[in-house]
Amino acid sequence: ATFDLTLVTPSGETVLGNTPVKSKETDDGRQTTVFETTPRMSVYLLAFVFGEMGYTSGKTSKGIEIRSYATPDNVKLTQMSVDEGVKIMEFFEEYFDVPYPLAKLDMVALPDFNVGAMENWGLMTFRESIMLVDQKTSSIESQQICSLVVSHELSHQWFGNLVTMKWWDDLWLNESFANMMEYRAVDAVHPEWHIWEQFVSHEGASAKRRDSILDVQSVKSVVNHPDDIDTLFDPSIVYAKGGTLLHMLMHYIGEDNFRKGLQDYFTKHSYRNTVADDLWEALGAASN
């Protein structure tokens, strides 16, 4: 569906949605913010955030503004996420050869967030400990985690948001792909990190340990009821094992064919739902 969102909030607070603000009015201590109509999108990607926040911003070479928001005391720790967001956005636009489909991208560090991050379209949300980095004192590992998670959620803007799985049994279409692509992008912008070595040692080893257990779930699992959905998010299987399988597939058919197949997949199925066979068809046609 498309969404027309209006929020009424205390005046003076920052208000964010998936799309840019269309109009804003203040009356009697209340602020009414109307957002531009979203593109056709899946319901679970709708998001809004409001509160006392500041931000750091940057722009890609194609003019897309990327902002990183945090509570006022933490704004000084948002520069790295902006810098990584700009570089990784530029990489994905070139790699997929499909433009980022929205007018802006906001990233928000949320206090007390129950997951690591979420790829809401145009309004990605993060746990503070992942997104906020003091580049003067933080470890390389902390910087790598920030970069990898920003990259993971950014890849979802195409694989998951622009094209969305039809049902949750194809969750791997979102998460396995993002698991692999987060490393592909970070390797491009930080070759000095040799991040593929960590892909093997972290993701590969995690997948093998978990996959050795009898009756562990498969990468693609049947989902008969919405209550089953939360059981799917096994990081060692749907993320790591699926990601390593896609990494093997990319090398098997060649990265040029892999990219061509993805471009065709995104172009053909934009703003629609897909099943796994749609991806296999695109990769098969590109690689013969």
Side-chain angles (χ1 to χ4, degrees):
T2 61
F3 294 89
D4 293 288
L5 180 67
T6 300
L7 293 179
V8 180
T9 60
S11 61
E13 293 190 346
T14 300
V15 185
L16 305 172
N18 298 83
T19 53
V21 173
K22 184 177 181 181
S23 66
K24 187 181 293 187
E25 295 180 358
T26 302
D27 181 43
D28 195 25
R30 291 284 176 178
Q31 179 175 280
T32 301
T33 307
V34 180
F35 293 91
E36 294 178 4
T37 303
T38 70
R40 178 178 159 123
M41 59 185 272
S42 290
V43 176
Y44 74 93
L45 298 171
L46 183 70
F48 56 85
V49 177
F50 68 91
E52 295 181 30
M53 294 181 287
Y55 68 86
T56 305
S57 68
K59 272 192 177 180
T60 69
S61 57
K62 293 186 178 178
I64 297 168
E65 185 171 18
I66 296 179
R67 292 182 175 184
S68 285
Y69 287 84
T71 53
D73 289 344
N74 286 323
V75 175
K76 60 183 179 292
L77 303 178
T78 58
Q79 187 64 54
M80 181 172 182
S81 58
V82 165
D83 294 342
E84 297 301 285
V86 168
K87 290 182 287 189
I88 292 168
M89 171 80 81
E90 291 174 345
F91 171 80
F92 280 140
E93 284 203 307
E94 179 185 357
Y95 191 89
F96 297 143
D97 199 20
V98 174
Y100 174 71
L102 300 184
K104 60 90 177 177
L105 176 68
D106 294 329
M107 299 185 284
V108 188
L110 297 176
D112 198 26
F113 194 40
N114 71 323
V115 295
M118 176 60 199
E119 69 266 21
N120 317 295
W121 215 358
L123 182 59
M124 304 184 330
T125 47
F126 296 80
R127 188 180 296 173
E128 284 185 326
S129 59
I130 287 175
M131 192 180 120
L132 302 179
V133 175
D134 186 334
Q135 292 173 276
K136 294 180 180 179
T137 62
S138 66
S139 65
I140 291 293
E141 183 180 23
S142 295
Q143 295 180 41
Q144 289 174 339
I145 289 171
C146 173
S147 184
L148 286 167
V149 177
V150 167
S151 180
H152 182 102
E153 306 311 328
L154 255 173
S155 74
H156 275 313
Q157 305 304 297
W158 286 266
F159 221 108
N161 297 6
L162 180 63
V163 180
T164 310
M165 62 201 173
K166 187 173 184 179
W167 183 238
W168 295 90
D169 52 3
D170 276 323
L171 174 65
W172 72 273
L173 275 176
N174 282 15
E175 299 302 349
S176 300
F177 182 84
N179 174 272
M180 193 270 279
M181 288 308 301
E182 68 182 81
Y183 286 87
R184 181 64 187 86
V186 169
D187 182 61
V189 300
H190 289 290
E192 74 278 8
W193 284 350
H194 305 286
I195 206 73
W196 282 120
E197 294 178 11
Q198 295 186 40
F199 179 79
V200 173
S201 63
H202 293 181
E203 310 298 338
S206 172
K208 291 185 173 92
R209 279 196 302 270
R210 184 87 173 105
D211 210 30
S212 67
I213 298 172
L214 190 65
D215 296 330
V216 71
Q217 73 181 64
S218 58
V219 171
K220 177 174 179 174
S221 300
V222 176
V223 179
N224 295 313
H225 191 278
D227 288 348
D228 298 336
I229 294 170
D230 280 344
T231 69
L232 292 179
F233 289 82
D234 186 333
S236 296
I237 300 299
V238 174
Y239 292 73
K241 181 184 177 183
T244 55
L245 289 170
L246 285 172
H247 186 250
M248 291 166 65
L249 176 65
M250 179 180 75
H251 286 280
Y252 179 68
I253 67 174
E255 189 164 10
D256 289 343
N257 290 331
F258 187 74
R259 290 176 62 184
K260 178 65 167 61
L262 291 180
Q263 181 191 359
D264 293 344
Y265 175 81
F266 292 138
T267 302
K268 182 177 180 180
H269 301 289
S270 291
Y271 309 102
R272 294 171 57 194
N273 296 100
T274 58
V275 294
D277 285 350
D278 296 315
L279 177 63
W280 300 135
E281 180 183 338
L283 294 175
S287 63
N288 196 31

